[in-house]
């Protein structure tokens, strides 16, 4: 077995899968590099689902669960996605315990994500040039223009990167309703942004 880096500065140069391997040897310093690398995204995911006040606690809970379940990680190159599933499930467990649904506040949905909208690479209903743009007020207005149900559906799928089944569990909608609201919401956002190209810097 190759020697693992001993210094934190050396650990920071490794990729996620290498850090997982070292962490499995009981190296908390290696896992801490993973925490520092992904905590912003995990916090944003939690804030989008439960709001700001509970997000940090649930972020910490997600990382604790990830540490405990690290031996189950077998998705090479997909650590962020694996971690995201744990974070979302932690949030939904919390919401079920509190017996309440996720908030539909637009501020809650967007403020912690820097007002960025990045559709999933394999399923882009919005134009390609939308990717990685900071749309700020234009995105907020486009989301605000959607009916509440479509706004929630689009956010959960395209921003929070939730699976369809997770959206069903979070909202209580049927699978067909989830897919329909996502499709209609994306189409409406595309039309809105085409009508307001100034917000895209074009």
């Amino acid at each position: 077995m190759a020697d693992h880096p001993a210094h934190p500065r050396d650990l920071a140069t490794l990729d996620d899968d290498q850090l997982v391997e070292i962490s499995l040897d009981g190296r908390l310093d290696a896992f801490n590099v993973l925490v520092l690398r992904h905590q912003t995204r995990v916090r944003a995911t939690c804030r989008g689902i439960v709001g700001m006040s509970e997000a940090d606690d649930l972020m910490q809970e997600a990382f604790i669960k990830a540490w405990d379940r690290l031996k189950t990680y077998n998705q090479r190159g997909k650590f962020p996605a694996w971690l995201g599933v744990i974070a979302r499930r932690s949030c939904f467990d919390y919401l079920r315990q509190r017996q309440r649904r996720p908030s539909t506040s637009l501020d809650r949905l967007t403020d912690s994500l820097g007002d960025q909208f990045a559709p999933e690479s394999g399923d882009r209903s919005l134009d390609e040039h939308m990717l990685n743009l900071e749309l700020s007020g234009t995105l907020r207005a486009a989301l605000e223009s959607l009916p509440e149900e479509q706004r929630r559906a689009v956010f959960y799928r395209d921003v929070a990167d939730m699976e369809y089944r997770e959206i069903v569990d979070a909202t209580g909608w049927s699978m067909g309703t989830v897919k329909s609201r996502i499709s209609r919401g994306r189409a409406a956002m595309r039309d809105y942004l085409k009508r307001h190209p100034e917000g895209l810097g074009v």
Side-chain angles (χ1 to χ4, degrees), residues 12-193:
T13 66
L14 302 180
D15 64 30
D16 288 346
D17 290 338
Q18 291 171 316
L19 289 168
V20 168
E21 180 182 352
I22 298 172
S23 298
L24 286 170
D25 288 339
R27 290 276 300 273
L28 282 170
D29 56 343
F31 188 74
N32 188 55
V33 175
L34 289 168
V35 172
L36 294 174
R37 184 175 292 176
H38 297 290
Q39 64 182 356
T40 298
R41 179 184 178 91
V42 173
R43 181 184 290 112
T45 296
C46 293
R47 284 183 176 180
I49 298 173
V50 302
M52 295 182 64
S53 60
E54 299 96 343
D56 283 351
D57 287 343
L58 285 164
M59 177 189 69
Q60 293 177 17
E61 179 179 323
F63 280 114
I64 291 172
K65 289 180 178 179
W67 170 259
D68 290 339
R69 301 173 186 175
L70 208 54
K71 290 182 179 180
T72 70
Y73 171 70
N74 58 7
Q75 305 174 30
R76 301 288 297 180
K78 296 183 179 180
F79 182 78
W82 180 80
L83 183 60
V85 170
I86 292 175
R88 292 193 294 272
R89 287 178 178 171
S90 295
C91 290
F92 293 143
D93 287 344
Y94 170 80
L95 291 174
R96 280 191 286 267
Q97 290 170 4
R98 292 287 300 270
Q99 295 182 339
R100 62 182 176 87
R101 294 295 186 187
S103 170
T104 59
S105 165
L106 181 59
D107 287 338
R108 177 170 289 182
L109 294 181
T110 60
D111 63 1
S112 64
L113 293 169
D115 295 316
Q116 296 181 17
F117 187 84
E120 187 173 317
S121 58
D123 186 11
R124 293 172 182 165
S125 294
L126 300 179
D127 295 336
E128 289 287 334
H129 68 269
M130 290 289 296
L131 291 175
N132 300 320
L133 290 176
E134 293 185 3
L135 302 182
S136 191
T138 302
L139 172 60
R140 183 178 295 274
L143 282 171
E144 190 67 62
S145 72
L146 300 179
E148 177 182 322
E149 293 83 0
Q150 290 180 16
R151 183 168 68 243
R152 290 176 64 188
V154 170
F155 173 83
Y156 287 146
R157 183 69 183 111
D158 289 331
V159 181
D161 195 28
M162 291 164 56
E163 299 295 335
Y164 288 109
R165 174 53 58 185
E166 292 177 313
I167 301 174
V168 168
D169 292 341
T171 61
W173 302 334
S174 69
M175 181 65 73
T177 297
V178 167
K179 291 182 177 180
S180 175
R181 286 173 176 168
I182 291 171
S183 177
R184 292 177 181 177
R186 285 171 171 169
M189 283 196 68
R190 180 185 63 239
D191 292 342
Y192 181 96
L193 292 167

